[in-house]
């Protein structure tokens, strides 16, 4: 479920039953996953309430695996949506942009088993987990259309995301122990 919670009182309210992976948009909407689809609903930050009917945003969003069911999408500060679209049931995923009218535009990146696509704070790069033989973190430069391997460690690297100042944060699993790493420069 998706909840709102008052920081002062600790009171929790269910906003959406069965939803997950919610993101607030500066347009006053909450976007969230339900199944393999993304939905949007009007959200009032002052009253911490949703209103109106949910609207289907996109279908066929890749969900995580290996103990997580996270929806693989990210929204930039200006409301641009990027997500991993399941093109078929293979392990290769295509990266796409989607505009506010629901039109998809392919991102010119090689097909791979990407997980957890996250836009950089400035919207120029994507950080991606790759769940193939390398299990590494990759960065795709959207302007140069260049995919660059960020980690070279033989252990499991995953759960990548951007810090607000543009550094990449990820976990590395060694002997069933996960540590958090920060990549200073990309």
């Amino acid at each position: 479920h998706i909840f709102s919670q008052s920081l002062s009182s600790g009171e929790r309210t269910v906003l959406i039953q069965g939803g997950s992976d919610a993101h607030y948009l500066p347009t006053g909407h909450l976007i969230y996953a339900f199944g393999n689809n993304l939905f949007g609903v009007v959200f009032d930050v002052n009253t911490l309430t949703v209103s109106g009917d949910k609207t289907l945003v996109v279908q066929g969003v890749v969900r995580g695996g290996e103990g997580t069911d996270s929806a693989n999408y990210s929204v930039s500060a200006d409301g641009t949506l990027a997500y991993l679209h399941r093109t078929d049931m293979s392990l290769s995923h295509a990266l796409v942009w989607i505009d506010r009218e629901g039109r998809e535009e392919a991102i010119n990146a090689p097909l791979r088993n990407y997980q957890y696509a996250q836009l950089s704070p400035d919207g120029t790069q994507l950080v991606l987990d790759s769940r193939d033989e390398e299990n590494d973190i990759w960065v795709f430069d959207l302007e140069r259309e260049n995919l660059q391997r960020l980690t070279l460690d033989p252990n499991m690297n995953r759960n990548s995301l951007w810090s607000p100042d543009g550094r990449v944060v990820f976990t590395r699993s060694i002997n069933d122990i996960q540590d958090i790493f920060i990549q200073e420069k990309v």
Side-chain angles (χ1 to χ4, degrees):
H1 301 308
I2 298 171
F3 296 89
S4 66
Q5 181 169 342
S6 168
L7 296 178
S8 58
S9 71
E11 180 183 345
R12 293 179 72 173
T13 304
V14 176
L15 296 175
I16 300 162
Q17 295 211 6
S20 67
D21 306 299
H23 290 266
Y24 174 72
L25 304 180
T27 60
H29 294 85
L30 199 62
I31 190 169
Y32 65 95
F34 188 86
N36 290 323
N37 301 321
L38 295 180
F39 292 90
V41 66
V42 175
F43 180 69
D44 185 321
V45 294
N46 296 317
T47 62
L48 301 179
T49 57
V50 295
S51 62
D53 293 328
K54 67 182 179 184
T55 301
L56 178 65
V57 177
V58 293
Q59 295 178 302
V61 175
V62 172
R63 300 297 297 233
E66 302 174 32
T68 179
D69 198 26
S70 298
N72 287 273
Y73 80 100
S74 181
V75 183
S76 70
D78 70 358
T80 303
L81 171 68
Y83 69 98
L84 295 177
H85 184 256
R86 185 172 301 280
T87 55
D88 57 36
M89 295 309 288
S90 73
L91 292 179
S92 293
H93 307 299
L95 300 174
V96 297
W97 291 111
I98 185 163
D99 67 17
R100 295 184 195 280
E101 285 75 42
R103 292 183 301 254
E104 292 183 10
E105 178 185 340
I107 294 175
N108 191 23
L111 294 175
R112 293 191 72 142
N113 187 8
Y114 299 119
Q115 301 284 320
Y116 308 109
Q118 297 286 317
L119 281 168
S120 62
D122 64 5
T124 63
Q125 300 177 88
L126 288 169
V127 65
L128 307 145
D129 293 16
S130 180
R131 301 294 171 86
D132 50 21
E133 64 278 355
E134 287 125 3
N135 290 308
D136 278 308
I137 308 298
W138 295 74
V139 174
F140 185 76
D141 187 308
L142 294 162
E143 295 170 346
R144 294 184 185 97
E145 296 184 338
N146 177 355
L147 185 65
Q148 180 181 10
R149 190 172 174 179
L150 186 64
T151 59
L152 299 171
D153 189 273
N155 294 294
M156 180 75 68
N157 299 289
R158 59 173 61 172
N159 306 317
S160 57
L161 55 89
W162 294 95
S163 67
D165 64 356
R167 297 182 294 170
V168 175
V169 180
F170 61 95
T171 62
R172 178 173 292 150
S173 183
I174 303 171
N175 299 326
D176 294 327
I177 297 172
Q178 288 194 7
D179 290 318
I180 298 173
F181 288 82
I182 298 174
Q183 178 70 32
E184 294 294 330
K185 298 287 182 186
V186 177

